[in-house]
Amino acid sequence: ICEYQPQSKFSLQLAYWDSFKQMESMSARQTANLAKLLYHLVTTHQTLRLLPVIKTLDFSVDDMDENTSIFLTIVLSGILEYFDDRISAKALFERQQTQSDSLEEERVDKEEAVRAGLLIFFVETLKSSPRNKKGSNFRKNYKAIVKSLEVPGFDF
């Protein structure tokens, strides 16, 4: 549908945003299924871009509810294992080139906040994943993505 009706992509993004508002009341299974669908829409079908969809989530690791943590872990772990080359994995998290105007600057600021939240989630949660084994796609992609998310002057 999204291939033939591009406006459906935004409708799908809005549906995810509505689901995120109800995430705390979902079961773990519903959260996992929602995450697996997003993973496929982002990687396999390349229907949605990841950052615009997840920008409404709260990335503060200390205050993150369990379902949000489950959701992000499933989506991001799937992405880390999916790609055979680092360049494709990194491309999902790259900064978008835009023209400069006040609305674009606001969008870029929000995207940078999402990227910073993702970096913290990667370092605090995914680094200790049992899938993060030497020589695995997970580890190769993890290192490449973390490097692309790093903010100059900010060290972990």
Side-chain angles (χ1 to χ4, degrees):
I1 293 173
C2 291
E3 201 172 299
Y4 297 106
Q5 294 181 333
Q7 68 271 21
S8 298
K9 291 180 183 182
F10 188 65
S11 298
L12 197 52
Q13 183 174 319
L14 290 174
Y16 264 96
W17 291 352
D18 288 342
S19 296
F20 294 158
K21 292 175 189 172
Q22 303 169 5
M23 184 104 50
E24 286 186 41
S25 63
M26 289 183 184
S27 69
R29 177 182 220 108
Q30 289 172 317
T31 302
N33 288 338
L34 194 64
K36 290 174 187 177
L37 176 61
L38 181 60
Y39 156 76
H40 282 288
L41 291 171
V42 168
T43 57
T44 309
H45 302 291
Q46 299 174 352
T47 304
L48 294 176
R49 286 186 33 241
L50 181 64
L51 295 182
V53 173
I54 64 172
K55 72 181 181 182
T56 60
L57 289 174
D58 180 14
F59 287 97
S60 53
V61 178
D62 296 336
D63 298 332
M64 188 179 292
D65 67 89
E66 185 178 1
N67 282 346
T68 303
S69 181
I70 290 169
F71 178 84
L72 287 173
T73 301
I74 290 171
V75 171
L76 298 175
S77 294
I79 288 170
L80 289 171
E81 290 183 328
Y82 178 78
F83 293 101
D84 291 330
D85 64 305
R86 296 176 192 165
I87 295 169
S88 298
K90 226 168 84 167
L92 294 177
F93 301 91
E94 301 257 318
R95 289 175 178 81
Q96 298 295 312
Q97 299 297 328
T98 60
Q99 57 218 34
S100 184
D101 67 9
S102 61
L103 286 176
E104 281 301 311
E105 288 176 21
E106 186 178 318
R107 189 192 66 74
V108 168
D109 288 345
K110 180 65 175 170
E111 186 175 297
E112 287 303 312
V114 171
R115 291 169 50 76
L118 277 173
L119 177 60
I120 292 168
F121 188 82
F122 269 89
V123 172
E124 296 288 323
T125 305
L126 296 177
K127 185 176 185 176
S128 61
S129 171
R131 298 174 181 173
N132 195 2
K133 297 177 186 166
K134 193 172 186 175
S136 68
N137 278 347
F138 188 100
R139 178 171 280 177
K140 291 175 195 170
N141 291 331
Y142 172 85
K143 287 181 178 182
I145 291 169
V146 166
K147 189 171 193 132
S148 77
L149 290 173
E150 286 178 347
V151 177
F154 189 73
D155 227 4
F156 272 100

